[in-house]
Amino acid sequence: MKYKINFNLNNEEIEHYIDPNRTLLNMIREDFDLTGAKEGCGAGECGACTVLLDGKPVNACLVLAIEVEGKDILTVEGLSPGNKLDELQISFIENAALQCGYCTPGMVMTAKALLKENNNPTEEEVKEALSGNLCRCTGYKKIIKAVMDIVEKGKH
Amino acid sequence: MEFVGKSVNRVDGIKKVTGSLKYVDDIKMHGMLYAAVKRSIYPHAKIINIDITKAKKLKGVVDIVIGKDFPKRVGLYLEDKTFLAVDKVRYRGEGVAAVVAKTEELAHKAVDLIEVEYEELPAVTSGVEGLKEDAPLVHPDLDKYKWAPIFFPKEGTNISNHYKLRKGNIDKGFENADIVIENDFYIPHVQHVPIENHSAIAKMDAEGFLTVWASCQSPFAVRQALSVAFDIPLNKLRVISPAVGGGFGGKAGTTLEGIVIPLAMRTNGKPVKLTYSREDEFVNSFVRQGLHARIKTGAKKDGKIVAVKNEFIWDGGAYTEYGVNIAKAAGYASTGPYDIENVHSDSICVYTNHPVGGPFRGFGMCEIHFAIEQNMDIVADKLNIDKVKIRKINGLKPGGVTATGEQLDVCGLQECLDEVVKDIEYYKKEESNEPNKVRAKGIAFGFKAPSMPNNVASSAIIKINEDGTLHLLTSAQDIGQGSDTVLTQIASEILSIPPEKITIKTGDTDHTPYEWQTVASRITYCAGNAIKLACEDAKNQLLELAQIKLGIYKRDLELKDGNIVSKIYPDKKVSISELSLGLSMPDGSGIHGPIIGRGSFIPPNIRDADKLTGLGDKPVAFWTFGCQGVEIEVDIETGKIKVLNVASCFDVGKVINPKLIEGQVEGAIVQGLGTALFEELILKDGKVLNPNFVDYKIPTFDDMPKMIIKFVENAEETGPFGARGIGEPSMVPAAPAIANAVYNALGIRINSLPITSEKILKALKK
């Protein structure tokens, strides 16, 4: 049996019917074609499916869709509406902080959540915030640089 | 140069940071059906019967195929595999049947209803065991298989390739040595762990045209294997690789593509998708082969190594269609980057009942260097010679000779060593502030050549649009390494058109031209050369037309900012856009037509090694040499190792894009760190015990060391702008450098990977 849920998805009010066993990740990917969030492990270990739920980063593969009733969901697609890139996305490109790109949306969303919470994190705090997001290509250095560049710019 | 050598932003950056790039699993199609695979629960067993009646009755199940339906064997170098097991299963997890159903859930339910009757057979669970005379045979019909003549399988055994290298006089070499030492090393299986699991979709239309969307590194190699397996002519088989979320070799061959195709042949035109779970990825894609290495070294008191005898026994897994070449590549490189007169090497690929070994970044080199580079430190200690000095004495130099007898014109290895010694401050002793922590440094060399057939082909097409922008067509795949950007830069440089005016199109066998494979650190070199040639072809056509238009001989013309300009009279010019469709003549007629540049490339003059001795004066395209130094800190109470600093330097010939190459090397260092300290596919009786991220850790942000990345640029004569490959070589010295630092810290030698806290503590207690 499907349940009716209401939520805000990338600044749009949504009314949706969903089976109770489906995950948030499955719902946004399959029902809304928001495929920026990826399933890397399905077990909350890799962070590739990270989206923001009421501003907090969550592994969408571990959240049941029915749990988002009344909540705000921000996916990577909502971060750059109308082709205008977020400063963090620009910083990722300029710092070559991405390679295959599969972890990138999750990485960007986790970093975004951190910067919303704390606009002046130290490098250690950035590492800690992002430590649940796995990347197999970059060796992480340039991702930290991409985030720290935003922090530095914010100081001026 | 205007574009080559510049830190151009990734051309695929925007679609990746916005999440708008569609990887295979992101693709949805009307009427999409889903596949699931019934897998073996035994590492080695005869298939007695497969009963699909119950599964077939389940509502929503469209069809089921079993191995017997498509029994044709395929393989890249050795045709030893079928996509589903036919007569017997050879590893735990091997597919025996595949279901296509309306939903993924139903497909999995149906899989559970398939009943398979097995007769269990004794299993081979290590390469060494597989060589024993009484070992069960994994492929009893090996003699009936087909293989490329450069490989040497041995019928009636589990040996799928035995590469032998015999150089100089090994006995005499040892006789002349002042010391002879022998060491054993073991490197376990690891997995590539791309963040994107394998995924494929297949669709067949009414005319029998089959399209496959696959997260694959090599669409043409996939097309070839599928064509053979399913008897589909190449003109009716299209392979598209829309994006690859990390490959590292794991997506180089064919895996699940051969499972979705037979299903798609039975769905009346509906597309069939199969996406691996993380567990599948660990067990049922490729893994890095295990290795037992034994190295015997003879050296003089002055540090000169005079003889090396080594044996590499590869645990190749159930199918070694690809792995046979790893054994060969390791044989070519068997001494490491050292100039040694007398060499006796055996590199043996052995069938076992383990997951399928395949290409993994480094292709044998990471594995053998773990042994070779630790062994070099052991020799140095035994002779009481400095570890940098022993590498100075024996390391390859210009004019030096490799293990196969190839003389090198260019070799920047010693320059890389000097740079790393300086950057890691090798001789500066650091102390930890904490009493339970010890710091030390270690270094290791690494080298690698592209491990590929001699005559692998690449091609490229450049199309000039009416407005002077370009389309660049190639089947080199950007799997994260940045090839889309680097190849665009090469085109930019030749045609003097900025990257933003070039659109690169890749990975569609119907529409982009032939490329053998995106593997072997060969793309900048091979595809880069093809693109360079295509651009030069287009450039020449433009110059031919411009000389008519301008009345200036083409020798005196050059391309500049979208124009063909006189070198002598810069105001005399014609725009590329004006010539894009040919030249309009004063009388209104036209000549030539659209400018399309074509480039084809095969690396020049690579020849087979001698079948008996393994010697060859030009067996590879080029060697990429380098060195890595590390500083570690070991907690002697917990055994935990922290890599603090890394310095890396490689001779890449020419840096095309500084920030991208730096990123590639940083990634290699950290991936190498993972294999050094914690990555291991734990196998017990053929079963993978840790196929998930909880039990198989890969490096996280916490593990990242400080990194200094440098390059030396001694041009590769045949490379585009002098460039050679770097993607794999940069990972090669990572693990042995750490192992050597561990010894320098504690005086203990850990001869097997990974170097875990448990191993450290156990060794400290001794």
Side-chain angles (χ1 to χ4, degrees), chain B residues 80-97:
Chain B
D80 68 357
K81 79 168 179 187
T82 50
F83 288 104
L84 292 170
V86 177
D87 50 351
K88 64 172 184 170
V89 291
R90 296 179 172 89
Y91 74 94
R92 199 183 188 283
E94 180 165 8
V96 293

Side-chain angles (χ1 to χ4, degrees), chain B residues 63-80:
Chain B
D63 214 335
I64 296 171
V65 292
I66 62 169
K68 271 193 182 143
D69 299 335
F70 296 92
K72 225 169 148 189
R73 276 189 299 267
V74 294
L76 187 66
Y77 299 111
L78 163 67
E79 294 186 353
D80 68 357

Side-chain angles (χ1 to χ4, degrees), chain A residues 116-128:
Chain A
K116 275 184 175 174
E117 190 102 318
N118 173 6
N119 64 9
N120 192 24
T122 63
E123 202 173 299
E124 280 311 305
E125 285 169 330
V126 172
K127 277 189 184 180
E128 202 187 313

Side-chain angles (χ1 to χ4, degrees), chain B residues 223-299:
Chain B
R223 187 179 71 156
Q224 179 62 26
L226 297 177
S227 164
V228 172
F230 304 109
D231 291 315
I232 309 163
L234 294 178
N235 67 321
K236 288 193 167 188
L237 180 56
R238 178 181 178 191
V239 177
I240 300 170
S241 179
V244 181
F248 316 111
K251 292 169 183 161
T254 46
T255 45
L256 77 180
E257 298 90 348
I259 296 172
V260 285
I261 282 206
L263 294 172
M265 288 170 161
R266 298 172 174 205
T267 58
N268 209 13
K270 287 189 177 160
V272 180
K273 184 194 259 189
L274 175 60
T275 299
Y276 273 0
S277 66
R278 180 54 61 186
E279 183 176 343
D280 278 328
E281 193 67 25
F282 272 113
V283 182
N284 304 313
S285 60
F286 280 121
V287 300
R288 189 169 89 177
Q289 306 185 134
L291 170 67
H292 288 269
R294 170 165 288 182
I295 304 184
K296 186 177 167 187
T297 313

Side-chain angles (χ1 to χ4, degrees), chain A residues 29 38 94 100 136 140 142, chain B residues 23 26 659 662 679 699:
Chain A
R29 286 178 58 84
K38 312 291 185 193
E94 286 180 349
C100 82
R136 191 61 154 169
Y140 301 111
K142 295 196 184 319
Chain B
Y23 297 76
D26 301 334
K659 74 177 166 190
E662 209 180 79
E679 291 187 42

